[in-house]
Amino acid sequence: MSLLTLLPFIVLIGAMFLMTRSAKKKQQQAVDMRNQMQPGSGVRTIGGMYATVKEVSEDTVLLDAGPGVELLFAKNAIGAVLTDEEYNRIVHGVEHDLKSDVVPDDASSLTETDDSSDAAAASDDTPVDLGKKDAADDPADADTAGEAKADAQSKKSEGDSEAK
């Protein structure tokens, strides 16, 4: 047999070897991660539940999911062991101080311009008139509005009496 006829089989066997090697490597990392669990560390199960490890035995893990809620899981059901910062961020909503990561609300601070008229126009804090008037602003309009309501009420009551 020639080398050209054996080449596809060699490539196929090599690919299978590489795939099984990487799968075994990932599996070994998962076992090491599960063996590093200690009471008090935060974990995520393969079902997506976040809890704190209470006890670790050979094949099982006792998790504290909340006040008075203890759950017994197989070690294989632990998807990830989380760092304290990551667990607190996800479960308790505690964020670290992000002062250096602040993003401005507008793009004006991202561009540097020397034009002072743009800065003066941007700092103008006058209210914008949208055409709507408050009743307290114009008492004359409030009086005419009150009279219009009274007229509408009297016409409505007159209309009801005529229909009988």
Side-chain angles (χ1 to χ4, degrees), residues 71-138:
L71 305 166
L72 186 64
F73 277 85
K75 267 190 176 180
N76 293 342
I78 303 302
V81 177
L82 307 172
T83 63
D84 290 338
E85 289 178 8
E86 186 178 15
Y87 181 78
N88 288 332
R89 181 182 56 82
I90 293 170
V91 175
H92 303 296
V94 177
E95 293 286 333
H96 68 282
D97 193 15
L98 297 175
K99 298 221 186 258
S100 63
D101 298 339
V102 174
V103 177
D105 290 339
D106 60 349
S108 63
S109 63
L110 299 176
T111 58
E112 295 180 0
T113 59
D114 293 333
D115 192 10
S116 62
S117 63
D118 288 342
S123 66
D124 190 18
D125 291 334
T126 59
V128 177
D129 183 22
L130 299 176
K132 183 176 180 182
K133 294 184 180 180
D134 292 338
D137 292 343
D138 195 3

Side-chain angles (χ1 to χ4, degrees), residues 37-58:
M37 279 189 296
Q38 298 174 358
S41 59
V43 295
R44 182 184 67 235
T45 65
I46 58 173
M49 184 183 72
Y50 293 91
T52 305
V53 176
K54 193 166 185 180
E55 290 179 17
V56 180
S57 66
E58 181 130 352

